[in-house]
Amino acid sequence: MPISKDVYANWENYIKDVADYEEEYLTKEQKEYIIKGFNLLRQNYGESWINDIIKGDYPIKSNVMNLAPWSKFWLADFGYWLNELKDFKEFDEIKKRIMDPIKYSSQILELEIAYKLKKANVDFEFFELTGKNIAGKKPDFKLNLDNQDVYLEVTNMADSLEEQNAYKTFSIISGMLMQHDYIHKIQPAIKIHKILSKPHCEELKKKMKDAIAETINLGYKKVNEEGIIEGYFIRSDLSQEFKDKVQFGIQGPPINIDEIRRSITRIRDKSTQIPNKPGIIVIYNKKLGWKYGWDDKEFYKKIVYEVQESVYEYENITHVILITSHSKQNANVNFYSNDYSYFHNVRCLGAVQEDIILIPNRYSKYKIDINKIINIFKNK
């Protein structure tokens, strides 16, 4: 896989890096799609943008720096989304918000939804950006569907506090090991059993540094604090002796988050942003699919079963759309089921697929043709 030394220096290098991928990573058609998307970004943000991102501290930086072939699709999509909206009066404000660390997460989702609306030929406006409100409520979009005003709210499910804290624990411990002078001479086989405070992590770091020093002399050293951390440090030349006895690597603290419950809570919260008129709520929860999709091929039916009664509570909400991703198992699956739910697979990127789960509210006092909703969200 090619990695240019100065790949981030300018657009020419960045685009050439994609063009140089071998066929096993990206096909000719995929490269053409990606490069066109990059050139649209180049037109709309300018020549210096790619280098400015790398030098600055922008949320989109991780997407730009990711050299995995499949990661290029998202950045190309971003170029297509942005270009489709260049004639909107809010275009410059949208570009600014995408570069804002605080506003980025919500704005990038609104950009994708706006792209889908435009491709579906739906009349809409960025209601929240106009500064308008209805009884103090400011949904993200106002649409015209079935000759009626429909209000749409978009939201992204960020990592839970527990997940953020688990990641901090993992980062502190693994970061110490990656920066240690002996990193190439030892192999860790460590399991962290729970989320730890920063002071506790710092205490463990000192103990682990001492254990690593002993490992160099002894060949291996057991690390154990009951209920906290356990495992071994093993000198690299002895790794073959231990390969069937330990699991090499660092396992972070277990995380047990009920993403379905979190999504239901978000439906309740976002329903308050919709005025007493036809409303649609779109929730991006990437973890929803990863949590249920690995082991259960019918995970989306389980999600519908758990979520739909909460949707029915709000008579003005016509549909809730959940967008998630998971391991590729159900490629090209489309159905309209007997339980009033619709599932549509959007796109497969390597081993990952992104799915849409559409839950109509059959008890809503407003009616919108479901095929019109499907037509919006089938657009990639």
Side-chain angles (χ1 to χ4, degrees):
M1 185 185 304
I3 300 179
S4 303
K5 181 180 178 181
D6 299 317
V7 65
Y8 306 121
N10 54 52
W11 277 112
E12 293 298 333
N13 287 1
Y14 199 75
I15 290 172
K16 182 179 183 301
D17 200 68
V18 172
D20 287 344
Y21 277 113
E22 296 174 3
E23 187 77 12
E24 64 180 298
Y25 298 114
L26 291 172
T27 66
K28 179 182 177 182
E29 292 75 18
Q30 289 172 330
K31 289 185 207 178
E32 290 173 351
Y33 175 86
I34 291 169
I35 290 171
K36 182 178 178 181
F38 286 0
N39 280 320
L40 292 173
L41 273 179
R42 186 178 186 176
Q43 292 171 21
N44 287 301
Y45 268 118
E47 288 295 324
S48 67
W49 184 79
I50 197 79
N51 199 29
D52 292 343
I53 292 296
I54 302 305
K55 290 180 178 179
D57 187 19
Y58 299 101
I60 204 170
K61 183 174 181 175
S62 60
N63 299 94
V64 173
M65 292 185 68
N66 194 334
L67 289 172
W70 58 266
S71 72
K72 303 302 181 185
F73 284 102
W74 184 90
L75 198 62
D77 285 345
F78 172 44
Y80 287 100
W81 301 339
L82 194 67
N83 192 65
E84 196 69 28
L85 303 176
K86 63 184 179 182
D87 294 331
F88 277 68
K89 62 183 180 180
E90 297 89 358
F91 184 65
D92 288 339
E93 178 62 22
I94 291 169
K95 289 201 299 178
K96 289 179 183 177
R97 287 186 171 212
I98 288 169
M99 303 301 284
D100 186 320
I102 296 175
K103 298 176 181 177
Y104 168 79
S105 179
S106 60
Q107 189 59 65
I108 202 72
L109 298 181
E110 290 170 26
L111 179 66
E112 182 178 356
I113 294 299
Y115 173 83
K116 292 178 182 294
L117 291 169
K118 194 162 188 296
K119 297 298 283 186
N121 296 315
V122 174
D123 289 332
F124 72 94
E125 65 178 56
F126 291 92
F127 191 77
E128 189 267 337
L129 280 180
T130 64
K132 300 176 183 177
N133 72 84
I134 300 178
K137 300 180 185 294
K138 301 177 181 179
D140 296 315
F141 293 96
K142 178 182 177 181
L143 327 177
N144 186 277
L145 288 174
D146 285 348
N147 296 315
Q148 59 184 326
D149 290 338
V150 178
Y151 294 87
L152 188 150
E153 181 72 12
V154 185
T155 183
N156 180 46
M157 297 288 290
D159 291 344
S160 67
L161 182 60
E162 181 177 345
E163 192 165 4
Q164 292 176 41
N165 288 335
Y167 179 73
K168 286 179 184 177
T169 297
F170 176 81
S171 296
I172 293 172
I173 301 298
S174 62
M176 182 278 293
L177 296 176
M178 293 301 292
Q179 295 171 15
H180 199 282
D181 293 340
Y182 294 124
I183 182 61
H184 299 298
K185 297 180 181 180
I186 61 103
Q187 292 193 37
I190 301 295
K191 185 174 183 179
I192 306 168
H193 287 292
K194 72 171 188 175
I195 295 169
L196 305 174
S197 64
K198 186 175 179 179
H200 200 164
C201 285
E202 294 299 328
E203 181 184 70
L204 281 175
K205 281 170 61 176
K206 293 177 182 178
K207 293 181 180 179
M208 293 169 76
K209 285 180 181 179
D210 292 339
I212 290 172
E214 292 184 53
T215 301
I216 298 301
N217 295 322
L218 301 176
Y220 68 92
K221 178 70 176 179
K222 187 173 184 179
V223 178
N224 185 56
E225 190 172 319
E226 189 174 354
I228 305 298
I229 191 169
E230 66 175 324
Y232 290 88
F233 289 118
I234 300 164
R235 204 168 60 210
S236 295
D237 62 300
L238 299 178
S239 61
Q240 288 299 312
E241 296 181 25
F242 285 82
K243 68 177 184 179
D244 296 325
K245 301 176 182 178
V246 301
Q247 182 177 340
F248 286 109
I250 306 170
Q251 300 178 58
I255 303 170
N256 186 23
I257 305 297
D258 189 334
E259 292 294 343
I260 292 179
R261 291 296 107 194
R262 290 185 73 219
S263 297
I264 289 172
T265 300
R266 186 59 60 91
I267 291 171
R268 182 193 65 202
D269 294 344
K270 287 300 175 179
S271 69
T272 64
Q273 288 286 6
I274 306 290
N276 190 24
K277 295 180 180 295
I280 299 170
I281 298 173
V282 179
I283 298 175
Y284 284 71
N285 187 344
K286 302 302 183 185
K287 298 297 174 65
L288 192 62
W290 288 106
K291 185 172 180 62
Y292 296 96
W294 286 102
D295 301 316
D296 185 351
K297 290 185 178 181
E298 296 195 341
F299 80 98
Y300 42 85
K301 290 184 179 180
K302 179 189 294 185
I303 292 170
V304 169
Y305 178 80
E306 295 287 338
V307 172
Q308 62 188 170
E309 296 301 328
S310 297
V311 176
Y312 299 159
E313 290 287 349
Y314 306 101
E315 63 177 11
N316 65 314
I317 303 300
T318 65
H319 300 81
V320 168
I321 294 99
L322 300 176
I323 301 180
T324 188
S325 60
H326 65 109
S327 58
K328 187 169 71 175
Q329 298 173 354
N330 307 296
N332 302 315
V333 174
N334 294 275
F335 70 82
Y336 186 73
S337 70
N338 292 329
D339 60 359
Y340 300 90
S341 63
Y342 173 87
F343 167 81
H344 175 67
N345 169 44
V346 180
R347 184 184 216 174
C348 294
L349 300 176
V352 179
Q353 74 180 44
E354 187 176 67
D355 299 335
I356 284 178
I357 304 166
L358 170 58
I359 308 176
N361 183 357
R362 52 178 163 152
Y363 299 108
S364 176
K365 62 183 178 181
Y366 302 109
K367 301 301 176 186
I368 298 175
D369 182 357
I370 193 170
N371 291 304
K372 292 187 177 180
I373 307 296
I374 292 169
N375 190 49
I376 294 169
F377 286 92
K378 74 180 182 181
N379 287 302
K380 298 179 181 179

